[in-house]
Amino acid sequence: MHYLTGLTLALFVASPALAEDWDFVLINGTGKPIKTVEIAPTGSTDWKPGLEEEAARRAPVIKPGARTTVRLDRPSSQCRYDVRATFEDATTMVFANGNICDNSYLTVKLTGGKPSISAN
């Protein structure tokens, strides 16, 4: 019996964290048109493109005040993400530490010229 319990535990520990399909609404409060959105777990540099809704692919620029749905695969234990936006003028900014588990809407904005992210 102990053999099976040990084997079961070994399989559980060796299993990778399962990813979940997840989405949130990103609101552009920066005052600048956004061309691309990438996301990464907060504190990492593992940037992945945000998979935007079909309408966003037809009109790829997220205008100031506009919103788009961003889709991702996330491990069930990961809630905090950074958002990297590339603007139409080719500048890039990172908006750090958005909580997508507790908030369905995140607004990226410039506060005193510095990037910030807030939940709605």
PDB file of all heavy atoms in Angstrom, residues 40-81:
ATOM      1  N   ALA A  40       3.448  39.272 -19.120  1.00  0.00           N
ATOM      2  CA  ALA A  40       4.414  38.381 -18.466  1.00  0.00           C
ATOM      3  C   ALA A  40       4.080  38.328 -16.983  1.00  0.00           C
ATOM      4  O   ALA A  40       3.589  39.315 -16.424  1.00  0.00           O
ATOM      5  CB  ALA A  40       5.843  38.888 -18.650  1.00  0.00           C
ATOM      6  N   PRO A  41       4.323  37.185 -16.352  1.00  0.00           N
ATOM      7  CA  PRO A  41       4.152  37.150 -14.895  1.00  0.00           C
ATOM      8  C   PRO A  41       4.997  38.258 -14.267  1.00  0.00           C
ATOM      9  O   PRO A  41       6.122  38.511 -14.705  1.00  0.00           O
ATOM     10  CB  PRO A  41       4.677  35.767 -14.504  1.00  0.00           C
ATOM     11  CG  PRO A  41       4.502  34.944 -15.743  1.00  0.00           C
ATOM     12  CD  PRO A  41       4.769  35.896 -16.887  1.00  0.00           C
ATOM     13  N   THR A  42       4.443  38.949 -13.282  1.00  0.00           N
ATOM     14  CA  THR A  42       5.156  40.057 -12.645  1.00  0.00           C
ATOM     15  C   THR A  42       6.536  39.613 -12.188  1.00  0.00           C
ATOM     16  O   THR A  42       6.685  38.560 -11.575  1.00  0.00           O
ATOM     17  CB  THR A  42       4.330  40.596 -11.468  1.00  0.00           C
ATOM     18  OG1 THR A  42       3.159  41.209 -11.997  1.00  0.00           O
ATOM     19  CG2 THR A  42       5.100  41.618 -10.651  1.00  0.00           C
ATOM     20  N   GLY A  43       7.527  40.426 -12.517  1.00  0.00           N
ATOM     21  CA  GLY A  43       8.901  40.151 -12.125  1.00  0.00           C
ATOM     22  C   GLY A  43       9.674  39.281 -13.090  1.00  0.00           C
ATOM     23  O   GLY A  43      10.863  39.085 -12.915  1.00  0.00           O
ATOM     24  N   SER A  44       9.016  38.748 -14.118  1.00  0.00           N
ATOM     25  CA  SER A  44       9.730  37.909 -15.088  1.00  0.00           C
ATOM     26  C   SER A  44       9.922  38.693 -16.387  1.00  0.00           C
ATOM     27  O   SER A  44       9.401  39.791 -16.551  1.00  0.00           O
ATOM     28  CB  SER A  44       8.957  36.621 -15.374  1.00  0.00           C
ATOM     29  OG  SER A  44       7.937  36.853 -16.332  1.00  0.00           O
ATOM     30  N   THR A  45      10.657  38.101 -17.295  1.00  0.00           N
ATOM     31  CA  THR A  45      10.821  38.687 -18.630  1.00  0.00           C
ATOM     32  C   THR A  45      10.289  37.725 -19.692  1.00  0.00           C
ATOM     33  O   THR A  45      10.703  37.771 -20.830  1.00  0.00           O
ATOM     34  CB  THR A  45      12.295  39.017 -18.907  1.00  0.00           C
ATOM     35  OG1 THR A  45      13.068  37.818 -18.758  1.00  0.00           O
ATOM     36  CG2 THR A  45      12.816  40.094 -17.965  1.00  0.00           C
ATOM     37  N   ASP A  46       9.382  36.872 -19.297  1.00  0.00           N
ATOM     38  CA  ASP A  46       8.801  35.865 -20.188  1.00  0.00           C
ATOM     39  C   ASP A  46       7.595  36.466 -20.926  1.00  0.00           C
ATOM     40  O   ASP A  46       6.464  36.065 -20.706  1.00  0.00           O
ATOM     41  CB  ASP A  46       8.398  34.633 -19.374  1.00  0.00           C
ATOM     42  CG  ASP A  46       7.952  33.476 -20.249  1.00  0.00           C
ATOM     43  OD1 ASP A  46       8.315  33.452 -21.442  1.00  0.00           O
ATOM     44  OD2 ASP A  46       7.231  32.602 -19.738  1.00  0.00           O
ATOM     45  N   TRP A  47       7.849  37.432 -21.800  1.00  0.00           N
ATOM     46  CA  TRP A  47       6.787  38.152 -22.499  1.00  0.00           C
ATOM     47  C   TRP A  47       6.127  37.284 -23.551  1.00  0.00           C
ATOM     48  O   TRP A  47       6.796  36.631 -24.340  1.00  0.00           O
ATOM     49  CB  TRP A  47       7.342  39.414 -23.151  1.00  0.00           C
ATOM     50  CG  TRP A  47       7.830  40.403 -22.149  1.00  0.00           C
ATOM     51  CD1 TRP A  47       9.133  40.681 -21.849  1.00  0.00           C
ATOM     52  CD2 TRP A  47       7.038  41.212 -21.291  1.00  0.00           C
ATOM     53  NE1 TRP A  47       9.188  41.620 -20.850  1.00  0.00           N
ATOM     54  CE2 TRP A  47       7.925  41.972 -20.495  1.00  0.00           C
ATOM     55  CE3 TRP A  47       5.670  41.378 -21.112  1.00  0.00           C
ATOM     56  CZ2 TRP A  47       7.481  42.882 -19.542  1.00  0.00           C
ATOM     57  CZ3 TRP A  47       5.224  42.282 -20.167  1.00  0.00           C
ATOM     58  CH2 TRP A  47       6.127  43.024 -19.394  1.00  0.00           C
ATOM     59  N   LYS A  48       4.805  37.286 -23.537  1.00  0.00           N
ATOM     60  CA  LYS A  48       3.989  36.561 -24.520  1.00  0.00           C
ATOM     61  C   LYS A  48       2.996  37.557 -25.107  1.00  0.00           C
ATOM     62  O   LYS A  48       2.491  38.428 -24.396  1.00  0.00           O
ATOM     63  CB  LYS A  48       3.212  35.424 -23.862  1.00  0.00           C
ATOM     64  CG  LYS A  48       4.067  34.432 -23.116  1.00  0.00           C
ATOM     65  CD  LYS A  48       4.436  33.291 -24.011  1.00  0.00           C
ATOM     66  CE  LYS A  48       5.071  32.183 -23.210  1.00  0.00           C
ATOM     67  NZ  LYS A  48       6.460  32.043 -23.314  1.00  0.00           N
ATOM     68  N   PRO A  49       2.694  37.420 -26.387  1.00  0.00           N
ATOM     69  CA  PRO A  49       1.686  38.320 -26.947  1.00  0.00           C
ATOM     70  C   PRO A  49       0.333  38.082 -26.306  1.00  0.00           C
ATOM     71  O   PRO A  49      -0.048  36.943 -26.033  1.00  0.00           O
ATOM     72  CB  PRO A  49       1.648  37.960 -28.430  1.00  0.00           C
ATOM     73  CG  PRO A  49       2.455  36.729 -28.592  1.00  0.00           C
ATOM     74  CD  PRO A  49       3.214  36.471 -27.329  1.00  0.00           C
ATOM     75  N   GLY A  50      -0.376  39.166 -26.016  1.00  0.00           N
ATOM     76  CA  GLY A  50      -1.751  39.046 -25.539  1.00  0.00           C
ATOM     77  C   GLY A  50      -2.621  38.677 -26.727  1.00  0.00           C
ATOM     78  O   GLY A  50      -2.558  39.334 -27.760  1.00  0.00           O
ATOM     79  N   LEU A  51      -3.363  37.608 -26.623  1.00  0.00           N
ATOM     80  CA  LEU A  51      -4.217  37.179 -27.726  1.00  0.00           C
ATOM     81  C   LEU A  51      -5.507  37.981 -27.657  1.00  0.00           C
ATOM     82  O   LEU A  51      -6.348  37.736 -26.790  1.00  0.00           O
ATOM     83  CB  LEU A  51      -4.487  35.673 -27.630  1.00  0.00           C
ATOM     84  CG  LEU A  51      -3.231  34.804 -27.609  1.00  0.00           C
ATOM     85  CD1 LEU A  51      -3.599  33.354 -27.363  1.00  0.00           C
ATOM     86  CD2 LEU A  51      -2.477  34.940 -28.916  1.00  0.00           C
ATOM     87  N   GLU A  52      -5.628  38.932 -28.542  1.00  0.00           N
ATOM     88  CA  GLU A  52      -6.743  39.859 -28.491  1.00  0.00           C
ATOM     89  C   GLU A  52      -7.936  39.311 -29.259  1.00  0.00           C
ATOM     90  O   GLU A  52      -7.807  38.443 -30.113  1.00  0.00           O
ATOM     91  CB  GLU A  52      -6.307  41.207 -29.044  1.00  0.00           C
ATOM     92  CG  GLU A  52      -5.181  41.807 -28.208  1.00  0.00           C
ATOM     93  CD  GLU A  52      -4.446  42.908 -28.922  1.00  0.00           C
ATOM     94  OE1 GLU A  52      -4.724  43.155 -30.108  1.00  0.00           O
ATOM     95  OE2 GLU A  52      -3.575  43.512 -28.295  1.00  0.00           O
ATOM     96  N   GLU A  53      -9.092  39.847 -28.977  1.00  0.00           N
ATOM     97  CA  GLU A  53     -10.326  39.423 -29.627  1.00  0.00           C
ATOM     98  C   GLU A  53     -10.288  39.722 -31.125  1.00  0.00           C
ATOM     99  O   GLU A  53      -9.485  40.522 -31.606  1.00  0.00           O
ATOM    100  CB  GLU A  53     -11.520  40.087 -28.966  1.00  0.00           C
ATOM    101  CG  GLU A  53     -11.499  41.585 -29.090  1.00  0.00           C
ATOM    102  CD  GLU A  53     -12.566  42.239 -28.245  1.00  0.00           C
ATOM    103  OE1 GLU A  53     -13.208  41.592 -27.414  1.00  0.00           O
ATOM    104  OE2 GLU A  53     -12.745  43.446 -28.427  1.00  0.00           O
ATOM    105  N   GLU A  54     -11.146  39.066 -31.873  1.00  0.00           N
ATOM    106  CA  GLU A  54     -11.192  39.182 -33.331  1.00  0.00           C
ATOM    107  C   GLU A  54     -11.319  40.630 -33.795  1.00  0.00           C
ATOM    108  O   GLU A  54     -10.650  41.047 -34.730  1.00  0.00           O
ATOM    109  CB  GLU A  54     -12.353  38.345 -33.876  1.00  0.00           C
ATOM    110  CG  GLU A  54     -12.457  38.345 -35.391  1.00  0.00           C
ATOM    111  CD  GLU A  54     -11.258  37.722 -36.098  1.00  0.00           C
ATOM    112  OE1 GLU A  54     -10.641  36.793 -35.552  1.00  0.00           O
ATOM    113  OE2 GLU A  54     -10.924  38.185 -37.204  1.00  0.00           O
ATOM    114  N   ALA A  55     -12.166  41.417 -33.168  1.00  0.00           N
ATOM    115  CA  ALA A  55     -12.351  42.818 -33.576  1.00  0.00           C
ATOM    116  C   ALA A  55     -11.038  43.591 -33.467  1.00  0.00           C
ATOM    117  O   ALA A  55     -10.753  44.459 -34.288  1.00  0.00           O
ATOM    118  CB  ALA A  55     -13.428  43.471 -32.732  1.00  0.00           C
ATOM    119  N   ALA A  56     -10.220  43.284 -32.471  1.00  0.00           N
ATOM    120  CA  ALA A  56      -8.948  43.978 -32.292  1.00  0.00           C
ATOM    121  C   ALA A  56      -7.967  43.614 -33.396  1.00  0.00           C
ATOM    122  O   ALA A  56      -7.139  44.437 -33.785  1.00  0.00           O
ATOM    123  CB  ALA A  56      -8.352  43.656 -30.928  1.00  0.00           C
ATOM    124  N   ARG A  57      -8.046  42.401 -33.913  1.00  0.00           N
ATOM    125  CA  ARG A  57      -7.146  42.020 -34.997  1.00  0.00           C
ATOM    126  C   ARG A  57      -7.514  42.747 -36.294  1.00  0.00           C
ATOM    127  O   ARG A  57      -6.655  43.034 -37.110  1.00  0.00           O
ATOM    128  CB  ARG A  57      -7.150  40.510 -35.184  1.00  0.00           C
ATOM    129  CG  ARG A  57      -6.418  39.775 -34.058  1.00  0.00           C
ATOM    130  CD  ARG A  57      -6.175  38.324 -34.397  1.00  0.00           C
ATOM    131  NE  ARG A  57      -7.390  37.543 -34.407  1.00  0.00           N
ATOM    132  CZ  ARG A  57      -7.915  36.935 -33.349  1.00  0.00           C
ATOM    133  NH1 ARG A  57      -7.325  37.045 -32.182  1.00  0.00           N
ATOM    134  NH2 ARG A  57      -9.009  36.223 -33.447  1.00  0.00           N
ATOM    135  N   ARG A  58      -8.786  43.042 -36.484  1.00  0.00           N
ATOM    136  CA  ARG A  58      -9.211  43.784 -37.684  1.00  0.00           C
ATOM    137  C   ARG A  58      -8.811  45.252 -37.584  1.00  0.00           C
ATOM    138  O   ARG A  58      -8.521  45.886 -38.578  1.00  0.00           O
ATOM    139  CB  ARG A  58     -10.725  43.662 -37.883  1.00  0.00           C
ATOM    140  CG  ARG A  58     -11.144  42.280 -38.338  1.00  0.00           C
ATOM    141  CD  ARG A  58     -12.585  42.268 -38.810  1.00  0.00           C
ATOM    142  NE  ARG A  58     -13.541  42.663 -37.786  1.00  0.00           N
ATOM    143  CZ  ARG A  58     -14.132  41.832 -36.940  1.00  0.00           C
ATOM    144  NH1 ARG A  58     -13.872  40.548 -36.989  1.00  0.00           N
ATOM    145  NH2 ARG A  58     -14.990  42.279 -36.047  1.00  0.00           N
ATOM    146  N   ALA A  59      -8.842  45.831 -36.405  1.00  0.00           N
ATOM    147  CA  ALA A  59      -8.421  47.211 -36.159  1.00  0.00           C
ATOM    148  C   ALA A  59      -7.347  47.148 -35.085  1.00  0.00           C
ATOM    149  O   ALA A  59      -7.630  47.290 -33.904  1.00  0.00           O
ATOM    150  CB  ALA A  59      -9.607  48.053 -35.709  1.00  0.00           C
ATOM    151  N   PRO A  60      -6.095  46.877 -35.494  1.00  0.00           N
ATOM    152  CA  PRO A  60      -5.062  46.498 -34.526  1.00  0.00           C
ATOM    153  C   PRO A  60      -4.626  47.572 -33.545  1.00  0.00           C
ATOM    154  O   PRO A  60      -3.988  47.262 -32.554  1.00  0.00           O
ATOM    155  CB  PRO A  60      -3.898  46.068 -35.409  1.00  0.00           C
ATOM    156  CG  PRO A  60      -4.134  46.708 -36.719  1.00  0.00           C
ATOM    157  CD  PRO A  60      -5.605  46.886 -36.856  1.00  0.00           C
ATOM    158  N   VAL A  61      -4.952  48.831 -33.754  1.00  0.00           N
ATOM    159  CA  VAL A  61      -4.540  49.873 -32.822  1.00  0.00           C
ATOM    160  C   VAL A  61      -5.627  50.053 -31.766  1.00  0.00           C
ATOM    161  O   VAL A  61      -6.805  50.166 -32.080  1.00  0.00           O
ATOM    162  CB  VAL A  61      -4.284  51.202 -33.569  1.00  0.00           C
ATOM    163  CG1 VAL A  61      -4.012  52.326 -32.582  1.00  0.00           C
ATOM    164  CG2 VAL A  61      -3.119  51.051 -34.540  1.00  0.00           C
ATOM    165  N   ILE A  62      -5.209  50.042 -30.496  1.00  0.00           N
ATOM    166  CA  ILE A  62      -6.132  50.297 -29.385  1.00  0.00           C
ATOM    167  C   ILE A  62      -6.062  51.796 -29.117  1.00  0.00           C
ATOM    168  O   ILE A  62      -5.091  52.294 -28.546  1.00  0.00           O
ATOM    169  CB  ILE A  62      -5.754  49.487 -28.138  1.00  0.00           C
ATOM    170  CG1 ILE A  62      -5.617  48.008 -28.473  1.00  0.00           C
ATOM    171  CG2 ILE A  62      -6.784  49.695 -27.031  1.00  0.00           C
ATOM    172  CD1 ILE A  62      -4.917  47.195 -27.398  1.00  0.00           C
ATOM    173  N   LYS A  63      -7.077  52.507 -29.557  1.00  0.00           N
ATOM    174  CA  LYS A  63      -7.089  53.964 -29.443  1.00  0.00           C
ATOM    175  C   LYS A  63      -7.240  54.381 -27.976  1.00  0.00           C
ATOM    176  O   LYS A  63      -7.740  53.614 -27.153  1.00  0.00           O
ATOM    177  CB  LYS A  63      -8.228  54.533 -30.282  1.00  0.00           C
ATOM    178  CG  LYS A  63      -8.022  54.293 -31.757  1.00  0.00           C
ATOM    179  CD  LYS A  63      -9.153  54.862 -32.576  1.00  0.00           C
ATOM    180  CE  LYS A  63      -8.875  54.556 -34.038  1.00  0.00           C
ATOM    181  NZ  LYS A  63      -9.891  55.080 -34.914  1.00  0.00           N
ATOM    182  N   PRO A  64      -6.831  55.618 -27.661  1.00  0.00           N
ATOM    183  CA  PRO A  64      -7.025  56.112 -26.293  1.00  0.00           C
ATOM    184  C   PRO A  64      -8.498  56.020 -25.897  1.00  0.00           C
ATOM    185  O   PRO A  64      -9.387  56.391 -26.663  1.00  0.00           O
ATOM    186  CB  PRO A  64      -6.554  57.567 -26.376  1.00  0.00           C
ATOM    187  CG  PRO A  64      -5.569  57.571 -27.511  1.00  0.00           C
ATOM    188  CD  PRO A  64      -6.122  56.578 -28.506  1.00  0.00           C
ATOM    189  N   GLY A  65      -8.748  55.484 -24.714  1.00  0.00           N
ATOM    190  CA  GLY A  65     -10.109  55.312 -24.211  1.00  0.00           C
ATOM    191  C   GLY A  65     -10.773  54.020 -24.654  1.00  0.00           C
ATOM    192  O   GLY A  65     -11.800  53.636 -24.106  1.00  0.00           O
ATOM    193  N   ALA A  66     -10.192  53.329 -25.628  1.00  0.00           N
ATOM    194  CA  ALA A  66     -10.771  52.081 -26.129  1.00  0.00           C
ATOM    195  C   ALA A  66     -10.373  50.919 -25.223  1.00  0.00           C
ATOM    196  O   ALA A  66      -9.472  51.015 -24.399  1.00  0.00           O
ATOM    197  CB  ALA A  66     -10.311  51.813 -27.560  1.00  0.00           C
ATOM    198  N   ARG A  67     -11.064  49.815 -25.418  1.00  0.00           N
ATOM    199  CA  ARG A  67     -10.785  48.605 -24.642  1.00  0.00           C
ATOM    200  C   ARG A  67     -10.703  47.419 -25.578  1.00  0.00           C
ATOM    201  O   ARG A  67     -11.274  47.424 -26.651  1.00  0.00           O
ATOM    202  CB  ARG A  67     -11.836  48.402 -23.569  1.00  0.00           C
ATOM    203  CG  ARG A  67     -13.250  48.318 -24.096  1.00  0.00           C
ATOM    204  CD  ARG A  67     -14.307  48.203 -23.025  1.00  0.00           C
ATOM    205  NE  ARG A  67     -14.343  49.390 -22.192  1.00  0.00           N
ATOM    206  CZ  ARG A  67     -14.910  49.463 -21.011  1.00  0.00           C
ATOM    207  NH1 ARG A  67     -15.530  48.431 -20.501  1.00  0.00           N
ATOM    208  NH2 ARG A  67     -14.896  50.559 -20.310  1.00  0.00           N
ATOM    209  N   THR A  68      -9.999  46.386 -25.115  1.00  0.00           N
ATOM    210  CA  THR A  68      -9.895  45.145 -25.852  1.00  0.00           C
ATOM    211  C   THR A  68      -9.796  43.998 -24.856  1.00  0.00           C
ATOM    212  O   THR A  68      -9.354  44.188 -23.724  1.00  0.00           O
ATOM    213  CB  THR A  68      -8.680  45.147 -26.806  1.00  0.00           C
ATOM    214  OG1 THR A  68      -8.754  44.018 -27.672  1.00  0.00           O
ATOM    215  CG2 THR A  68      -7.356  45.119 -26.052  1.00  0.00           C
ATOM    216  N   THR A  69     -10.212  42.833 -25.275  1.00  0.00           N
ATOM    217  CA  THR A  69     -10.085  41.649 -24.429  1.00  0.00           C
ATOM    218  C   THR A  69      -8.740  40.994 -24.712  1.00  0.00           C
ATOM    219  O   THR A  69      -8.383  40.769 -25.867  1.00  0.00           O
ATOM    220  CB  THR A  69     -11.224  40.650 -24.709  1.00  0.00           C
ATOM    221  OG1 THR A  69     -12.462  41.299 -24.441  1.00  0.00           O
ATOM    222  CG2 THR A  69     -11.096  39.410 -23.842  1.00  0.00           C
ATOM    223  N   VAL A  70      -8.005  40.695 -23.658  1.00  0.00           N
ATOM    224  CA  VAL A  70      -6.705  40.033 -23.763  1.00  0.00           C
ATOM    225  C   VAL A  70      -6.864  38.629 -23.202  1.00  0.00           C
ATOM    226  O   VAL A  70      -7.342  38.454 -22.084  1.00  0.00           O
ATOM    227  CB  VAL A  70      -5.619  40.813 -22.997  1.00  0.00           C
ATOM    228  CG1 VAL A  70      -4.286  40.087 -23.057  1.00  0.00           C
ATOM    229  CG2 VAL A  70      -5.492  42.225 -23.539  1.00  0.00           C
ATOM    230  N   ARG A  71      -6.468  37.638 -23.985  1.00  0.00           N
ATOM    231  CA  ARG A  71      -6.565  36.237 -23.571  1.00  0.00           C
ATOM    232  C   ARG A  71      -5.171  35.667 -23.330  1.00  0.00           C
ATOM    233  O   ARG A  71      -4.230  36.036 -24.009  1.00  0.00           O
ATOM    234  CB  ARG A  71      -7.288  35.428 -24.642  1.00  0.00           C
ATOM    235  CG  ARG A  71      -8.745  35.749 -24.721  1.00  0.00           C
ATOM    236  CD  ARG A  71      -9.488  34.897 -25.746  1.00  0.00           C
ATOM    237  NE  ARG A  71     -10.917  35.105 -25.659  1.00  0.00           N
ATOM    238  CZ  ARG A  71     -11.545  36.187 -26.098  1.00  0.00           C
ATOM    239  NH1 ARG A  71     -10.865  37.157 -26.649  1.00  0.00           N
ATOM    240  NH2 ARG A  71     -12.854  36.303 -25.981  1.00  0.00           N
ATOM    241  N   LEU A  72      -5.082  34.758 -22.351  1.00  0.00           N
ATOM    242  CA  LEU A  72      -3.815  34.127 -22.037  1.00  0.00           C
ATOM    243  C   LEU A  72      -4.047  32.775 -21.382  1.00  0.00           C
ATOM    244  O   LEU A  72      -5.142  32.489 -20.922  1.00  0.00           O
ATOM    245  CB  LEU A  72      -2.995  35.014 -21.099  1.00  0.00           C
ATOM    246  CG  LEU A  72      -3.529  35.216 -19.681  1.00  0.00           C
ATOM    247  CD1 LEU A  72      -2.357  35.288 -18.726  1.00  0.00           C
ATOM    248  CD2 LEU A  72      -4.345  36.477 -19.578  1.00  0.00           C
ATOM    249  N   ASP A  73      -3.014  31.980 -21.387  1.00  0.00           N
ATOM    250  CA  ASP A  73      -2.977  30.749 -20.595  1.00  0.00           C
ATOM    251  C   ASP A  73      -2.165  31.079 -19.363  1.00  0.00           C
ATOM    252  O   ASP A  73      -1.050  31.569 -19.460  1.00  0.00           O
ATOM    253  CB  ASP A  73      -2.288  29.610 -21.355  1.00  0.00           C
ATOM    254  CG  ASP A  73      -3.131  29.067 -22.480  1.00  0.00           C
ATOM    255  OD1 ASP A  73      -4.366  29.142 -22.392  1.00  0.00           O
ATOM    256  OD2 ASP A  73      -2.550  28.588 -23.468  1.00  0.00           O
ATOM    257  N   ARG A  74      -2.747  30.840 -18.196  1.00  0.00           N
ATOM    258  CA  ARG A  74      -2.023  31.155 -16.966  1.00  0.00           C
ATOM    259  C   ARG A  74      -2.065  29.974 -16.027  1.00  0.00           C
ATOM    260  O   ARG A  74      -3.080  29.284 -15.937  1.00  0.00           O
ATOM    261  CB  ARG A  74      -2.596  32.396 -16.287  1.00  0.00           C
ATOM    262  CG  ARG A  74      -3.935  32.180 -15.651  1.00  0.00           C
ATOM    263  CD  ARG A  74      -4.325  33.359 -14.761  1.00  0.00           C
ATOM    264  NE  ARG A  74      -5.539  33.050 -14.024  1.00  0.00           N
ATOM    265  CZ  ARG A  74      -5.592  32.454 -12.850  1.00  0.00           C
ATOM    266  NH1 ARG A  74      -4.486  32.103 -12.242  1.00  0.00           N
ATOM    267  NH2 ARG A  74      -6.745  32.192 -12.267  1.00  0.00           N
ATOM    268  N   PRO A  75      -0.980  29.746 -15.310  1.00  0.00           N
ATOM    269  CA  PRO A  75      -1.024  28.738 -14.252  1.00  0.00           C
ATOM    270  C   PRO A  75      -2.038  29.178 -13.200  1.00  0.00           C
ATOM    271  O   PRO A  75      -2.186  30.372 -12.939  1.00  0.00           O
ATOM    272  CB  PRO A  75       0.389  28.747 -13.679  1.00  0.00           C
ATOM    273  CG  PRO A  75       1.228  29.462 -14.674  1.00  0.00           C
ATOM    274  CD  PRO A  75       0.315  30.371 -15.434  1.00  0.00           C
ATOM    275  N   SER A  76      -2.734  28.246 -12.619  1.00  0.00           N
ATOM    276  CA  SER A  76      -3.783  28.587 -11.655  1.00  0.00           C
ATOM    277  C   SER A  76      -3.254  29.355 -10.452  1.00  0.00           C
ATOM    278  O   SER A  76      -4.008  30.066  -9.800  1.00  0.00           O
ATOM    279  CB  SER A  76      -4.525  27.330 -11.210  1.00  0.00           C
ATOM    280  OG  SER A  76      -3.633  26.417 -10.633  1.00  0.00           O
ATOM    281  N   SER A  77      -1.963  29.273 -10.184  1.00  0.00           N
ATOM    282  CA  SER A  77      -1.397  29.960  -9.027  1.00  0.00           C
ATOM    283  C   SER A  77      -0.896  31.376  -9.362  1.00  0.00           C
ATOM    284  O   SER A  77      -0.511  32.111  -8.466  1.00  0.00           O
ATOM    285  CB  SER A  77      -0.239  29.147  -8.462  1.00  0.00           C
ATOM    286  OG  SER A  77       0.778  29.033  -9.443  1.00  0.00           O
ATOM    287  N   GLN A  78      -0.902  31.776 -10.620  1.00  0.00           N
ATOM    288  CA  GLN A  78      -0.350  33.071 -11.033  1.00  0.00           C
ATOM    289  C   GLN A  78      -1.469  34.094 -11.246  1.00  0.00           C
ATOM    290  O   GLN A  78      -2.348  33.876 -12.062  1.00  0.00           O
ATOM    291  CB  GLN A  78       0.441  32.916 -12.344  1.00  0.00           C
ATOM    292  CG  GLN A  78       1.073  34.188 -12.851  1.00  0.00           C
ATOM    293  CD  GLN A  78       2.205  34.671 -11.976  1.00  0.00           C
ATOM    294  OE1 GLN A  78       3.037  33.887 -11.528  1.00  0.00           O
ATOM    295  NE2 GLN A  78       2.235  35.966 -11.707  1.00  0.00           N
ATOM    296  N   CYS A  79      -1.431  35.185 -10.494  1.00  0.00           N
ATOM    297  CA  CYS A  79      -2.460  36.228 -10.608  1.00  0.00           C
ATOM    298  C   CYS A  79      -1.893  37.576 -11.032  1.00  0.00           C
ATOM    299  O   CYS A  79      -2.601  38.379 -11.620  1.00  0.00           O
ATOM    300  CB  CYS A  79      -3.187  36.400  -9.282  1.00  0.00           C
ATOM    301  SG  CYS A  79      -4.281  35.028  -8.894  1.00  0.00           S
ATOM    302  N   ARG A  80      -0.657  37.849 -10.712  1.00  0.00           N
ATOM    303  CA  ARG A  80      -0.058  39.159 -10.985  1.00  0.00           C
ATOM    304  C   ARG A  80       0.715  39.126 -12.304  1.00  0.00           C
ATOM    305  O   ARG A  80       1.591  38.279 -12.504  1.00  0.00           O
ATOM    306  CB  ARG A  80       0.886  39.565  -9.856  1.00  0.00           C
ATOM    307  CG  ARG A  80       0.213  39.702  -8.521  1.00  0.00           C
ATOM    308  CD  ARG A  80      -0.492  41.000  -8.433  1.00  0.00           C
ATOM    309  NE  ARG A  80      -1.177  41.147  -7.152  1.00  0.00           N
ATOM    310  CZ  ARG A  80      -1.758  42.252  -6.790  1.00  0.00           C
ATOM    311  NH1 ARG A  80      -1.759  43.304  -7.577  1.00  0.00           N
ATOM    312  NH2 ARG A  80      -2.374  42.322  -5.641  1.00  0.00           N
ATOM    313  N   TYR A  81       0.363  40.071 -13.174  1.00  0.00           N
ATOM    314  CA  TYR A  81       0.997  40.155 -14.487  1.00  0.00           C
ATOM    315  C   TYR A  81       1.412  41.586 -14.787  1.00  0.00           C
ATOM    316  O   TYR A  81       0.774  42.540 -14.353  1.00  0.00           O
ATOM    317  CB  TYR A  81       0.040  39.680 -15.591  1.00  0.00           C
ATOM    318  CG  TYR A  81      -0.035  38.182 -15.664  1.00  0.00           C
ATOM    319  CD1 TYR A  81      -0.899  37.478 -14.844  1.00  0.00           C
ATOM    320  CD2 TYR A  81       0.771  37.466 -16.530  1.00  0.00           C
ATOM    321  CE1 TYR A  81      -0.970  36.090 -14.891  1.00  0.00           C
ATOM    322  CE2 TYR A  81       0.715  36.087 -16.581  1.00  0.00           C
ATOM    323  CZ  TYR A  81      -0.149  35.405 -15.763  1.00  0.00           C
ATOM    324  OH  TYR A  81      -0.202  34.042 -15.801  1.00  0.00           O
TER     325      TYR A  81
END
